[in-house]
Amino acid sequence: PAVGAHQFLEKAAVEAPDRIALITPAKLPLLGWQQQTITYGQLNQLSDALASGLVALGLKKGDRVALVLPNCVQMAISFFAVLKAGGVVAAANPTYPPPRMQFQINDCDAELVITLSPFYTMLKQIQGKTKVRHIIVTNIKEYLSPAAAFLFTLAKEKKEGHRVEELKPGDEWFQDALKRHAGNKVNVKVNPSDIAAFQYTGGTTGVSKGAMLSHRAMVANVLQIQAWSNSLEKGAIGGITRADMLYLGAIPMFHVYGLIVLLCQAIASGSKIVLVPNPRDIDNLIATIHQFRPNVFLGVPALYNAVVNHAKVKSGELRLDSFVISSSGAAPLPPATKREYEQAGARRLNEAYGMSETSAAATSNPLLGNNKPGAVGMPLPDMDIRVVSLDDGVTDVPPGDLGEIVMAGPNLMSGYHGLPTETANALREQGGKVWMFSGDIGYMDADGYFYIVDRKKDMALIGGFNVYPNNVEKVLKEHPAILEVGVAAIPHPERIGEEALKAWVVLKPGTTITEQELVKHCEASLAGYEVPRRFSFIKELPKTLVGKTLRRELIQMEVSDQQAQSEDGKK
């Protein structure tokens, strides 16, 4: 349909204004759990008011607004407000260090920023090196329950860096903007082809790029996801319909997965989201699951792995049987994690696949029917997917053969902001369609299920053979002592110009293992050239906030170690 992405909220607010959209929970000493809720009608009115405030600050159609916010009510209000005002959302990871935050704000040319109070000082430090004119500041306590907000003010606000005594000239409090423009609406004509968001790629293999997503692409992807889950309309999954669904709001909304599959899709479905601002606080996440018993868990492998290895889940104190839909994306799902999650009571864990460049989802295993371990499923409706030769990028390869995954559909990005060469390389016309070249190596089986083997840039060349680190990681993850593992090709320490395979291993608490035992474990399932012969035991893998292992940082660690050893040798 020729509508803007914000019209999902407007439609839901008309149909069910009093239905709860967002839940902000807090567990208080002595008082137990407290919660504050926002209805669809309230969310719509608040985003109308903020949209008016943004226009009053000079926002014009097509202008970018940087959102430096975790999963909170203000993130949802701000997202829909920017779209209603005709602006472009450029969500940023709030934990970025100043140089990276400065890069993204400059790359998207944002003149307005909406942020949570702990990040205000950092943004003021870099503001002079950007085009930012105004910063709108909000406090996390504004949408807590009265009791939780009071205790937060007393015990945590100043201690944890949330208190801002005074704003600098030109900046504005979030609540002041809402009060000043309460009851107002903007009248901006938004076309389906207009850009709605700059969704920045993870940057795991290089500089992060701003994928430009149109309203049409985002709307299409939400409807594709709903068509994939149409069995919910008939209550076929646990007797639950869309409107009954309670989403665990842990996947960050500044990531395309959280923005489209969680926020937009839940709002379009009239569902509820229980908000989790910090998914890395696993104890709080587990407590939230135990208290609210959500039905839908959208996560990444690292998050599922942390949940199944939590003491309360491993002991059986917490069963995960409230989850009727669980979907894993953003990184390859180890079979061991899927198995352990389902053994803990969840109905099933479906692996899916998508990219910032496809607005979010492109494929998924079905909710009902064959859920193949290791597969990322079949294409969503209206998606065409091919596997093309790694040699020429044109020839389709037969089922079972490896090639590059390429995709066509209404949810593709319009291009990368300010990067015409990268856009031309990624979006190529073949056979009358525009295809997105993913950079992912994979294959399709005889049933039409797709499998992702690895990134082209991560493929290793060991002894003249192609080796895919993801495959090695999956085998190592099967060992009961391993909590997490990352595998990458490093410069061979003895043979100049060649590569060697190395594994960085995080062990489960209380376990030990030798390198020889790990080699033997790998040799039972891998070819000789695929077996890593070098290991490092570390406390934590470097990862993006959504759980992708940063292999380039692992390689840099190794290169630094080799250089240090070389210098020591010279001494």
Side-chain angles (χ1 to χ4, degrees):
V3 298
H6 53 283
Q7 292 190 37
F8 286 125
L9 171 60
E10 294 173 341
K11 182 173 182 289
V14 170
E15 293 177 349
D18 297 325
R19 181 181 291 160
I20 294 173
L22 305 172
I23 302 170
T24 304
K27 189 176 183 181
L28 308 180
L30 303 178
L31 297 178
W33 283 94
Q34 304 282 311
Q35 66 181 53
Q36 189 78 348
T37 60
I38 295 291
T39 67
Y40 277 87
Q42 291 170 328
L43 182 57
N44 193 46
Q45 291 168 1
L46 291 167
S47 59
D48 278 338
L50 184 58
S52 297
L54 294 173
V55 171
L57 286 174
L59 181 71
K60 302 181 296 297
K61 185 175 178 180
D63 286 351
R64 272 73 75 180
V65 180
L67 304 185
V68 185
L69 298 162
N71 287 12
C72 56
V73 171
Q74 298 93 316
M75 177 66 176
I77 294 171
S78 301
F79 171 72
F80 288 110
V82 173
L83 298 189
K84 288 178 177 182
V88 178
V89 170
N93 181 343
T95 66
Y96 276 164
R100 188 160 184 187
M101 185 67 72
Q102 179 184 323
F103 165 80
Q104 183 165 326
I105 289 175
N106 279 331
D107 188 74
C108 71
D109 294 319
E111 297 184 14
L112 294 173
V113 178
I114 304 175
T115 188
L116 208 62
S117 55
F119 314 112
Y120 180 62
T121 300
M122 179 267 289
L123 288 166
K124 295 305 291 184
Q125 291 172 351
I126 65 173
Q127 183 176 357
K129 302 174 185 177
T130 70
K131 297 179 181 178
V132 173
R133 296 181 291 108
H134 304 288
I135 302 177
I136 299 175
V137 185
T138 184
N139 191 305
I140 193 69
K141 69 180 182 182
E142 292 167 9
Y143 292 95
L144 296 176
S145 70
F150 177 74
L151 288 178
F152 180 84
T153 302
L154 288 180
K156 291 186 177 182
E157 185 175 17
K158 186 174 183 179
K159 180 181 178 182
E160 297 183 359
H162 289 263
R163 183 171 297 172
V164 174
E165 300 294 347
E166 185 179 3
L167 297 183
K168 300 297 182 182
D171 299 337
E172 185 173 14
W173 290 108
F174 190 86
Q175 293 301 321
D176 288 348
L178 293 181
K179 291 174 184 175
R180 190 177 302 116
H181 299 279
N184 295 342
K185 289 187 177 183
V186 296
N187 184 23
V188 179
K189 173 65 174 175
V190 174
N191 299 308
S193 60
D194 291 339
I195 301 301
F198 283 5
Q199 187 56 55
Y200 280 81
T201 60
T204 54
T205 56
V207 176
S208 183
K209 302 183 287 291
M212 298 184 293
L213 304 179
S214 68
H215 282 268
R216 178 177 185 264
M218 292 169 62
V219 168
N221 204 224
V222 170
L223 296 180
Q224 287 170 312
I225 296 164
Q226 289 193 326
W228 165 78
S229 59
N230 62 12
S231 50
L232 289 173
E233 300 291 2
K234 303 172 184 177
I237 302 175
I240 297 176
T241 63
R242 291 189 201 281
D244 297 324
M245 286 292 178
L246 175 60
Y247 284 70
L248 180 66
I251 193 75
M253 292 176 185
F254 57 76
H255 187 271
V256 72
Y257 190 7
L259 194 66
I260 303 300
V261 189
L262 173 60
L263 179 59
C264 289
Q265 205 274 135
I267 293 297
S269 300
S271 307
K272 299 183 288 292
I273 304 174
V274 56
L275 294 164
V276 179
N278 180 12
R280 292 192 173 186
D281 185 347
I282 300 300
D283 287 340
N284 179 67
L285 181 70
I286 292 294
T288 302
I289 294 171
H290 186 269
Q291 175 66 22
F292 290 91
R293 307 293 290 163
N295 313 117
V296 182
F297 189 170
L298 305 173
V300 297
L303 189 58
Y304 288 116
N305 192 49
V307 167
V308 299
N309 281 287
H310 191 276
K312 290 188 176 180
V313 176
K314 289 181 75 68
S315 68
E317 180 180 344
L318 174 63
R319 296 285 291 166
L320 304 177
D321 51 4
S322 67
F323 291 116
V324 297
I325 295 178
S326 304
S327 184
S328 178
L333 176 66
T337 301
K338 172 180 167 62
R339 184 172 60 251
E340 291 166 5
Y341 181 76
E342 292 171 348
Q343 287 172 349
R347 177 184 164 270
R348 68 195 290 178
L349 178 52
N350 280 8
E351 188 169 5
Y353 168 70
M355 311 174 70
S356 298
E357 294 88 341
T358 62
S359 299
T363 73
S364 180
N365 277 278
L367 285 177
L368 302 172
N370 196 359
N371 178 21
K372 293 191 176 186
V376 296
M378 296 178 287
L380 296 183
D382 291 335
M383 285 296 292
D384 289 335
I385 302 186
R386 301 160 53 212
V387 185
V388 301
S389 167
L390 295 172
D391 295 325
D392 62 24
V394 176
T395 307
D396 292 345
V397 302
D401 284 7
L402 292 180
E404 182 171 358
I405 302 290
V406 301
M407 298 170 279
N411 51 321
L412 293 191
M413 69 171 182
S414 301
Y416 295 118
H417 173 62
L419 298 171
T421 301
E422 288 82 352
T423 297
N425 185 55
L427 297 177
R428 308 179 205 172
E429 185 171 344
Q430 293 181 0
K433 290 185 178 181
V434 174
W435 297 87
M436 172 68 207
F437 279 68
S438 68
D440 288 320
I441 297 173
Y443 66 95
M444 184 187 78
D445 70 14
D447 296 324
Y449 283 71
F450 284 81
Y451 298 75
I452 305 300
V453 175
D454 221 323
R455 294 289 294 170
K456 285 174 68 176
K457 292 181 180 179
D458 287 336
M459 184 177 70
L461 188 65
I462 307 296
F465 295 95
N466 292 336
V467 175
Y468 303 97
N470 276 338
N471 286 345
V472 182
E473 289 172 358
K474 288 179 180 179
V475 170
L476 281 166
K477 185 65 177 62
E478 289 290 331
H479 195 285
I482 292 181
L483 179 66
E484 294 181 317
V485 61
V487 175
I490 61 172
H492 201 293
E494 288 96 33
R495 303 171 195 160
I496 297 175
E498 294 190 25
E499 293 181 325
L501 211 58
K502 180 168 181 175
W504 290 260
V505 176
V506 180
L507 294 176
K508 292 179 180 178
T511 63
T512 59
I513 193 170
T514 66
E515 294 186 14
Q516 291 76 18
E517 288 173 318
L518 289 177
V519 169
K520 187 175 181 180
H521 171 76
C522 289
E523 287 176 338
S525 303
L526 298 170
Y529 58 85
E530 295 177 301
V531 177
R533 309 290 171 177
R534 294 162 178 82
F535 297 87
S536 283
F537 295 93
I538 58 178
K539 292 183 178 180
E540 185 180 10
L541 291 176
K543 294 191 288 285
T544 67
L545 197 64
V546 293
K548 289 184 179 180
T549 300
L550 290 167
R551 288 193 178 119
R552 70 168 186 269
E553 291 194 14
L554 293 174
I555 296 168
Q556 185 57 50
M557 287 164 50
E558 175 65 22
V559 170
S560 298
D561 287 346
Q562 288 186 12
Q563 290 174 344
Q565 291 172 8
S566 176
E567 291 299 320
D568 289 343
K570 290 178 182 178
K571 292 177 184 178

